[in-house]
């Protein structure tokens, strides 16, 4: 019995040591992955990397990780023309089935899902914010975006008719959607009126409707769905064969 108790104590001690070693190893790996991701994506700040699953060491021995979560603040994506960037306030991605190369210099996830947020101020840069002539004697421009409720964006438009600025802004409720996997499109549900002048729909929509391309996201993930929220648009992202580093 004494020998059995000693054996049990040894097993418990060794088990505890294994857990400690495993946690130290995963913390080191998370730090290394975060630094490498920062370098490969040219990030201003170090991202958050969390490796899920236990034990970590047996996953490494098998050459793949069950799940890796990545969080990036203030990520600058390409706006589409290559000359301008669009800031994403909070990009979070959940990677599944992450396999890495033999020298651990790169890793690829089978699939990824996540979320991102683009503020209304950032999205406003895409809208037609400079006064634009929509008809003889009528100019208009978008001056604000905000939450319109029920997943809609409220677009605030200022207009000048025959040299006189309308006393109150015109507000339009707009739907927002993802098209082609890389573009956020904002489109008015109903067209506003500018005074008593009747304007062609195509001219009005040149002011109220706009779209923003967002590409160059980490690992090639793409936009999936979008919905208006309190402080900006909330985007769902997804991807397959997502390259994390290297």
């Amino acid at each position: 019995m004494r020998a059995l108790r000693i054996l049990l104590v040894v097993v418990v001690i060794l088990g505890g040591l294994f857990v400690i070693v495993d946690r130290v190893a995963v913390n080191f790996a998370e730090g290394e992955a975060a630094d490498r991701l920062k370098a490969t994506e040219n990030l201003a700040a170090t991202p958050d990397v969390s490796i899920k699953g236990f034990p970590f060491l047996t996953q490494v021995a098998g050459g793949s990780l069950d799940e890796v979560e990545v969080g990036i603040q203030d990520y600058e994506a390409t706006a589409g023309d290559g000359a301008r960037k669009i800031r994403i306030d909070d990009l979070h991605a959940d990677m599944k089935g992450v396999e890495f190369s033999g020298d651990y210099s790169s890793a690829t996830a089978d699939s990824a899902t996540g979320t991102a947020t683009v503020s209304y101020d950032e999205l406003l840069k895409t809208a037609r914010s400079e006064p634009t002539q929509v008809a003889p004697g009528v100019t208009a421009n978008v001056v604000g975006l905000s939450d319109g409720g029920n997943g809609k964006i409220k677009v605030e438009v200022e207009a000048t008719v025959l040299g006189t600025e309308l006393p109150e802004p015109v507000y339009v409720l707009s739907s927002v959607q993802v098209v082609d996997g890389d573009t956020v499109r904002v489109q008015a549900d109903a067209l506003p009126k500018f005074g008593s002048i009747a304007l062609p729909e195509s001219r009005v929509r040149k002011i109220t409707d706009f779209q923003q391309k967002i590409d160059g996201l980490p690992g090639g993930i793409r936009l999936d769905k979008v919905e208006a929220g309190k402080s900006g648009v909330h985007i769902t992202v997804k991807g397959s064969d997502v390259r994390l580093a290297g």
Side-chain angles (χ1 to χ4, degrees):
M1 291 296 295
R2 177 181 174 82
L4 180 59
R5 285 198 298 269
I6 293 174
L7 178 61
L8 290 175
V9 170
V10 170
V11 169
V12 170
I13 292 175
L14 291 177
L17 289 175
F18 175 78
V19 171
I20 293 173
V21 170
D22 190 80
R23 293 302 87 190
V24 169
V26 75
N27 288 337
F28 175 79
E30 289 171 344
E32 288 293 306
D35 290 341
R36 184 162 296 174
L37 185 59
K38 178 183 179 182
T40 56
E41 295 294 337
N42 295 316
L43 303 178
T46 303
D48 293 325
V49 175
S50 179
I51 299 174
K52 303 299 182 180
F54 178 83
F56 166 70
L57 292 175
T58 57
Q59 293 184 70
V60 172
S64 66
L65 302 175
D66 295 337
E67 182 179 0
V68 178
E69 292 183 354
V70 177
I72 303 174
Q73 296 290 335
D74 298 330
Y75 182 82
E76 289 191 339
T78 305
D81 55 8
R84 190 171 64 83
K85 300 289 186 179
I86 181 167
R87 190 184 76 252
I88 297 176
D89 291 335
D90 185 15
L91 175 62
H92 177 86
D94 186 6
M95 315 286 187
K96 303 285 190 180
V98 180
E99 296 187 358
F100 37 84
S101 60
D103 59 359
Y104 303 102
S105 62
S106 64
T108 303
D110 288 339
S111 64
T113 57
T115 57
T117 301
V118 177
S119 70
Y120 287 124
D121 286 343
E122 195 70 14
L123 193 60
L124 182 60
K125 297 176 182 179
T126 303
R128 198 174 294 274
S129 56
E130 294 296 326
T132 302
Q133 183 171 317
V134 293
V138 181
T139 61
N141 60 295
V142 176
V143 295
L145 302 174
S146 59
D147 179 24
N150 297 319
K152 304 288 186 178
I153 294 179
K154 184 166 70 173
V155 181
E156 181 180 350
V157 181
E158 286 185 350
T160 299
V161 179
L162 300 176
T164 302
E165 185 175 325
L166 296 182
E168 297 291 338
V170 175
Y171 293 98
V172 183
L173 282 180
S174 299
S175 297
V176 57
Q177 62 179 328
V178 170
V179 293
D180 300 328
D182 62 4
T183 301
V184 175
R185 178 178 292 170
V186 179
Q187 191 169 37
D189 293 346
L191 298 181
K193 293 183 178 180
F194 302 110
S196 59
I197 300 178
L199 300 175
E201 178 177 345
S202 60
R203 289 182 176 270
V204 177
R205 287 199 179 277
K206 284 184 178 181
I207 302 298
T208 60
D209 299 358
F210 59 94
Q211 61 185 30
Q212 172 64 67
K213 191 170 184 179
I214 303 175
D215 54 14
L217 295 176
I221 57 177
R222 292 170 62 82
L223 310 185
D224 183 29
K225 298 177 182 178
V226 63
E227 185 177 54
K230 292 296 183 182
S231 58
V233 292
H234 303 308
I235 303 170
T236 302
V237 299
K238 68 177 182 179
S240 57
D241 294 327
V242 177
R243 193 173 182 84
L244 296 179

